[in-house]
Amino acid sequence: MEKGTRQFNVSVIIPTFNRPKLLAQAVRSVLKQTCPASEIVIIDNGSKPEYFSELSSIENSHDSINFIRLQSNKGPGGARNIGIENSKGDWILFLDDDDVLAPDFIEA
């Protein structure tokens, strides 16, 4: 496979709760992939209003981001399930908001 080409559609699902700085790092790691994800589905799992500005900045940082804000925390499993329901990819990759991917993770 040529570097930067995609053989299949990957949806990266990232649940988050009150951690926009860590989330921004996780999102950057997805956007820097040698084989890009087709979409990033971020589930804001009921974050406090004081984080909305930073979360909105992440939401609007790239066209591939699908941002879903929940009114209350559904737990990590509930947030992941909502992410699955709202994803379009052939493959699902779960990423926690405090993790980062190596640049060739999806390609490998």
Side-chain angles (χ1 to χ4, degrees):
M1 177 168 68
E2 283 185 43
K3 196 171 199 168
T5 62
R6 187 182 322 138
Q7 291 182 325
F8 47 84
N9 294 321
V10 176
S11 295
V12 179
I13 298 173
I14 309 175
T16 191
F17 178 68
N18 292 338
R19 301 197 299 186
K21 287 179 180 31
L22 292 172
L23 174 64
Q25 292 175 358
V27 169
R28 278 194 298 274
S29 80
V30 176
L31 293 173
K32 292 180 180 178
Q33 291 297 297
T34 56
C35 181
S38 55
E39 67 176 342
I40 303 169
V41 181
I42 299 172
I43 309 300
D44 174 25
N45 210 354
S47 291
K48 295 177 183 175
E50 63 210 55
Y51 297 105
F52 287 1
S53 177
E54 289 176 277
L55 291 170
S56 291
S57 178
I58 295 166
E59 175 182 6
N60 296 313
S61 66
H62 198 272
D63 290 342
S64 67
I65 295 175
N66 175 7
F67 193 93
I68 300 166
R69 180 168 282 140
L70 304 180
Q71 296 301 311
S72 62
N73 192 305
K74 306 294 185 197
R80 287 185 186 104
N81 287 337
I82 291 168
I84 291 169
E85 292 168 5
N86 288 278
S87 66
K88 300 176 185 119
D90 301 319
W91 294 85
I92 301 289
L93 171 62
F94 294 118
L95 182 65
D96 290 337
D97 64 0
D98 62 349
D99 288 335
V100 293
L101 298 176
D104 63 344
F105 187 87
I106 292 176
E107 183 176 10

